[in-house]
Structure formats: structure tokens, C-alpha cells
């Protein structure tokens, strides 16, 4: 399945209830985790202290911050769907979001996205994107939920 190209509310609505696509795998390495820790001031040892994590963590490794994994959603979403003919797009909210299993440093993740809901709000396209961020080789996802985006078409 190639990248989905959307130009209007009607084109989006035609995919209601369907899987929109699957992103490429992205490796979450220690460098990315350290940069996220610096940006958010969250330097818990389970994320950044490789030696301590190897000794004391049940995973025997550092793990990615849950919010780091979530923050990769826009990048991964962009690989699945490209929306044209826009004035702007707004991240509106998250529903039913759950953190599943941790992303162990060096793991690869990808996004699987379905169109769960769509509404036309006086010309604003409100979409509910059911998402699952999977970890390569794991049965349970790292995160799943519904991301709500508002698309303002021209």
C-alpha cells in the first residue's frame, strides 16, 4: 500500500473504517532518547543511565520515554497520509490512549493507522485516527489510542 493522498473531506470519508496504512520501521536509539531527555528535562535513570539500567532494570537496558514514543506519531503519520489543499491542520486531542509495553533502546517501531471516525463541522474535517505504535517482534503495542485532527480544507 502506498502513501494515501487526500485532497478533500469526501476523499477522507471514503476511507471510514479502513486501515489507512502502515509506516516504515524507525529505530529508537540511545541518542534519540538522550535528546528527548534533554528537551523535556526528564533524565530518569531508566532512560539515560545505560550502566545502571543494565544492572537494575527488569529490561536489562534503557527504555524510551513513553512520551518520546508518542511524539513520533506525527513523523510516522506523515509516512502514511499526505493531506493537500489545506489552510491548516490542528492536533485536537487524544482519546483512549494507553501505554502498552516499553520500547527498549535499539528497538524499531512503526505506526498502523485506521480511520475510526470523520465529521464535517461547518467545513472543518474532524478525523479520529485509531493508531497503534507497534514494536518489531512484540505482540503488544507500545501505545494505542485515537488521535483527533482537525483539517481545514481550502
Amino acid at each position: 500500500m502506498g502513501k494515501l493522498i487526500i485532497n478533500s473531506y469526501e476523499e477522507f470519508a471514503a476511507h471510514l473504517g479502513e486501515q489507512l496504512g502502515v509506516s516504515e520501521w524507525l529505530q529508537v536509539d540511545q541518542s534519540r532518547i538522550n535528546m528527548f531527555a534533554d528537551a523535556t528535562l526528564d533524565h530518569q535513570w531508566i532512560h539515560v543511565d545505560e550502566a545502571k539500567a543494565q544492572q537494575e532494570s527488569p529490561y536489562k537496558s534503557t527504555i524510551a520515554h513513553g512520551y518520546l514514543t508518542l511524539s513520533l506519531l506525527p513523523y510516522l503519520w506523515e509516512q502514511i497520509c499526505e493531506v493537500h489543499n489545506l489552510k491548516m491542520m490542528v492536533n485536537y486531542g487524544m482519546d483512549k490512549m494507553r501505554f502498552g509495553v516499553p520500547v527498549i533502546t535499539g528497538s524499531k517501531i512503526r505506526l498502523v493507522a485506521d480511520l475510526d471516525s470523520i465529521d464535517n463541522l461547518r467545513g472543518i474535517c474532524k478525523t479520529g485516527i485509531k493508531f497503534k505504535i507497534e514494536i518489531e517482534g512484540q505482540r503488544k503495542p507500545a501505545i494505542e489510542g485515537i488521535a483527533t485532527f482537525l483539517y481545514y480544507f481550502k
Side-chain angles (χ1 to χ4, degrees):
M1 179 188 290
K3 184 187 259 190
L4 183 63
I5 306 295
I6 299 292
N7 293 291
S8 67
Y9 169 85
E10 293 76 18
E11 287 181 22
F12 239 137
H15 296 282
L16 182 60
E18 296 179 3
Q19 183 180 87
L20 299 175
V22 179
S23 73
E24 297 292 322
W25 292 105
L26 173 71
Q27 187 169 34
V28 181
D29 61 15
Q30 190 64 51
S31 174
R32 185 180 310 277
I33 293 168
N34 291 344
M35 287 188 291
F36 188 83
D38 289 343
T40 61
L41 306 177
D42 181 354
H43 293 93
Q44 291 184 62
W45 67 266
I46 193 77
H47 304 302
V48 297
D49 189 333
E50 294 174 81
K52 185 173 182 176
Q54 195 171 42
Q55 294 297 313
E56 298 183 30
S57 164
Y59 312 107
K60 301 300 179 203
S61 174
T62 54
I63 60 172
H65 305 71
Y67 287 116
L68 165 56
T69 306
L70 181 62
S71 76
L72 294 169
L73 181 65
Y75 170 77
L76 298 169
W77 172 241
E78 201 171 88
Q79 293 180 22
I80 293 172
C81 185
E82 189 174 315
V83 183
H84 295 208
N85 196 31
L86 285 179
K87 292 185 231 175
M88 69 176 167
M89 188 278 281
V90 175
N91 294 312
Y92 190 68
M94 293 280 174
D95 293 303
K96 301 178 184 174
M97 191 190 73
R98 298 286 180 265
F99 292 99
V101 295
V103 176
I104 296 171
T105 304
S107 297
K108 292 181 181 180
I109 62 169
R110 71 177 179 185
L111 173 64
V112 178
D114 301 349
L115 183 56
D116 187 64
S117 65
I118 187 164
D119 294 297
N120 187 342
L121 307 175
R122 296 181 305 274
I124 301 166
C125 178
K126 180 182 176 186
T127 62
I129 307 299
K130 185 176 179 184
F131 70 91
K132 184 172 18 175
I133 297 180
E134 298 180 331
I135 305 167
E136 188 176 47
Q138 293 286 326
R139 188 177 55 81
K140 292 184 178 181
I143 304 175
E144 58 188 330
I146 299 173
T148 304
F149 302 131
L150 302 179
Y151 291 97
Y152 293 74
F153 287 101
K154 293 179 186 174

